[in-house]
Each structure stands twice: as structure tokens, then as C-alpha cells.
Amino acid sequence: MPCLVLSAADDETRKITLGHPLLHDYLVFVAARARTSTWLAVAYDLKVFFEVVGKEPAVVSAADVFAFLSAQRAPRRGERVVRLEDGEAGLAARTIARRLSSVRGLYGYLCAREDTGVRRNPVPASLAARRPGARRGRGGVPLIRTPRTLPRVLAPAEVDALRAALRTHRDRAMVDAMVLGGLRRCEVLGLRLEDLSAGERRLFVAEGKGGRQRVVPVSARFFAAVGAYLESERPPAAATRQVFVVLKGARRGEPLSAAGLDEILGGARSRAGLAHATCHQLRHTCFTRLREAGMALEAIQAQAGHASIESTRLYLHLASGWLEEEYLRAAEAIEAQAALPAGEAGR
């Protein structure tokens, strides 16, 4: 059975192994091209898969993959207990889909090597569609249907309450970077001093999702908060170039971690009496408000760092005012056309 072993130094993960040479080689490959969080997620997904399947990688079949799917979808808290989100009793569909993606990636790597005994990927991309002559792959039926749910966004009053509950300029600057600039959590923590351009009110995101870089404008409110933090709170002796560092304790002056930012946000959320306020919800809130204010989808795509415009179209649904205005405009045109005499309607 695979055993997940982590090796860390200076609070940073340096090595992950699962006790199998082929899995180890793949994790080394993943580590060279993905963030630590992705690396850890892939390692854990593979650990779970091979614990359930109980076979060597080279002899895993499609039947084993379907058996794994069944095990993941088995009820976790009784047959009659389901999630409201997707009506499922087992693991969330997104979690299962991610685990299948990790396994599919492993076998894609093993097939490409041609020296592992693996000749085909046992994880189907999809099942054949029901229409005659349809092929597997694009247009087929996915193994897991993930619900397309809209994310939560914060109302303006909730954002104000959350910001008022923050205790330092540093914390307000980090929240402003997400709610005003739309930065991801990892992008906020990855900001370096040289990435700030206060005169132009811009930020340089050096390590965005997928390794994509971008320059984004951010409101003056962010730069006011980060300026106050740098002037009065950031330890002068901090050796790192990261903007946001720990302010107290044994790690004072060291880069702030993702867990540290989540703890800060959780405390402020509790003090503000909010049920929901995560880093990603702040990001969604930013782009929803920008869309409601009339910002073009292409501009929001550039601000967000989305590789595809399809990811950005989500904010058309969240910005309910836009949909209402478009509907009313179309409905008025239809009603005006219907009100015309029969002879004039076709002119």
C-alpha cells in the first residue's frame, strides 16, 4: 500500500514520495511544473486511488477505475444523508473528478515513457455518446458530472463589515488586493516589494495560475493600506522580498503562509458575524462588482488571469443587474413589436 511521506525544510515541502518508484518519478515530474498545493493534492489522490485498487500501476484496468468510482460515491453518512449541492451521498463530484484527473495524468506520463509496461490509459476521458456513430472523447458522456453551481459573493455591507473587523494595515491590504484587484490567495502571498507600482497603481503578478504573468490595476485604497503597513508594521529587519510577512512571534519577518492568511480571514469573519467570507469569495466579489459596473468581459478576463473567456462568463450570471437590464430591453422590444398593427409588424 502506498505511504505518503513528506520531507520539509524551512516550513517548505521539499520532497513527496509514495513508496513506489513509478509514483515517485511522476511526483518529481509534477513538482517541476506545478505549485506545492497541486503537488500535494496529486500525491494524496494517487495514495487514495492505489489504497482502494490495491494493485501495481502496470496492471490497473478500466474495470478497476470504475470500481474506484463506485467506492468514492458510496454513502459516507448513511443512505439517506445527501448534500444539498448535488444530491450525492458520497464524496463531492468535484473531488472525485479531481482524483480521476490525477490518476489520468499519472497514466498519461507512464504511457509516454514507454518503459513502464503501461500501454494504454485505463481512465477513459468519457463514455461514448448515445447517438449512433459517436466517438469517445469530446462530446461524449463524462465519467463524473460535476454540478455547475454559482459561487457566493459578498454584499457591499458585508465587505465593509469584514474590513472593519481586520486588526492591522497588513490584513486590510491583503483583503483589498483580493476584493479590489481580484488576486488569488497565492498571488497575494507571492507579491514582492518590486511588484508594487504605487505611482501607476498597478501590481505585477509574477506567478499566476498556470505560470501566467500579468499586470493589473488596483484601487488607490489598496496602496494606501499597503503603504501604511510598510511604514508602520512590517519589521525593518525582514530578510524576505515578499510584501506580506508575519508580524509577531518566532516567525516574525518571515513570509506569511496560506494557513496564516486563512486564520486571519477566519478571525475577522467571526468578529464581523459573517457566515461566509473566503479568499476566493472575495475574488468572485471583485469581478462581479466590476461586471455590474459595466466592465467588459475581455477586460475582466485580463484582470482575473483567466486562460479562457469561458471562465469569465460566470460573472454574467453573478451580475444579476446585467441580466435583468438585457431582459427588460428585449422584452420591451418584443412588446412594442406585438403592439403594432398586423400590416406594420413585418415592415
Side-chain angles (χ1 to χ4, degrees), residues 106 165 214 282:
L106 165 69
R214 68 187 190 279
L282 294 178

Side-chain angles (χ1 to χ4, degrees), residues 37-335:
S37 56
T38 302
W39 186 25
L40 283 167
V42 169
Y44 185 74
D45 292 342
L46 295 179
K47 174 182 180 294
V48 171
F49 177 78
F50 284 103
E51 281 180 342
V52 172
V53 172
K55 291 184 177 181
E56 284 288 311
V59 297
V60 170
S61 66
D64 296 318
V65 173
F66 284 106
F68 174 74
L69 276 179
S70 298
Q72 298 297 285
R73 301 190 70 168
R76 291 297 195 266
R77 299 178 182 274
E79 295 283 353
R80 303 181 64 180
V81 180
V82 299
R83 282 182 304 281
L84 294 178
E85 178 186 9
D86 53 11
E88 293 286 344
L91 286 178
R94 287 190 179 91
T95 300
I96 302 174
R98 190 201 70 201
R99 289 181 177 173
L100 282 181
S101 178
S102 296
V103 177
R104 186 181 295 115
L106 165 69
Y107 280 97
Y109 166 81
L110 296 180
C111 289
R113 276 185 43 165
E114 298 184 344
D115 65 347
T116 62
V118 177
R119 297 289 177 264
R120 59 184 296 275
N121 198 321
V123 185
S126 64
L127 301 179
R130 294 175 182 172
R131 62 182 184 278
R135 297 181 302 171
R136 290 187 179 184
R138 182 174 297 180
V141 180
L143 297 188
I144 292 291
R145 289 191 179 275
T146 54
R148 300 189 66 180
T149 55
L150 294 179
R152 298 177 183 271
V153 298
L154 277 66
E158 292 176 318
V159 172
D160 292 341
L162 179 69
R163 200 171 184 276
L166 296 167
R167 291 172 169 169
T168 66
H169 295 299
R170 177 201 63 181
D171 300 347
R172 283 186 283 275
M174 291 190 296
V175 166
D176 285 345
M178 292 181 279
V179 81
L180 298 177
L183 269 65
R184 300 177 177 91
R185 180 181 63 180
C186 62
E187 294 170 347
V188 172
L189 297 173
L191 284 175
R192 303 162 301 180
L193 295 173
E194 56 267 30
D195 296 334
L196 306 180
S197 181
E200 297 179 326
R201 294 181 183 174
R202 293 179 178 179
L203 295 177
F204 175 62
V205 179
E207 294 188 20
K209 189 173 182 179
R212 291 182 291 274
Q213 298 181 339
R214 68 187 190 279
V215 176
V216 296
V218 184
S219 168
R221 191 173 84 181
F222 163 77
F223 285 101
V226 80
Y229 154 66
L230 293 175
E231 182 178 347
S232 62
E233 294 175 351
R234 192 176 191 272
T240 180
R241 299 297 295 170
Q242 304 299 109
V243 173
F244 299 111
V245 300
V246 178
L247 300 181
K248 298 178 181 179
R251 295 188 62 244
R252 185 173 188 267
E254 296 181 14
L256 187 68
S257 66
L261 176 50
D262 288 343
E263 184 178 348
I264 290 166
L265 198 58
R269 181 173 61 239
S270 178
R271 291 190 295 274
L274 301 178
H276 304 279
T278 66
C279 293
H280 222 60
Q281 286 168 359
L282 294 178
R283 174 175 157 88
H284 287 312
T285 299
C286 171
F287 300 132
T288 301
R289 301 294 173 244
L290 291 176
R291 178 58 212 172
E292 288 175 341
M295 190 170 179
L297 271 187
E298 292 80 1
I300 295 177
Q301 179 188 8
Q303 182 86 18
H306 288 156
S308 169
I309 193 69
E310 293 304 316
S311 300
T312 316
R313 292 187 191 281
L314 164 74
Y315 302 106
L316 289 177
H317 300 282
L318 293 178
S320 55
W322 169 83
L323 178 59
E324 183 179 357
E325 290 172 5
E326 289 294 302
Y327 171 78
L328 291 175
R329 181 186 60 78
E332 288 173 2
I334 292 171
E335 290 172 0

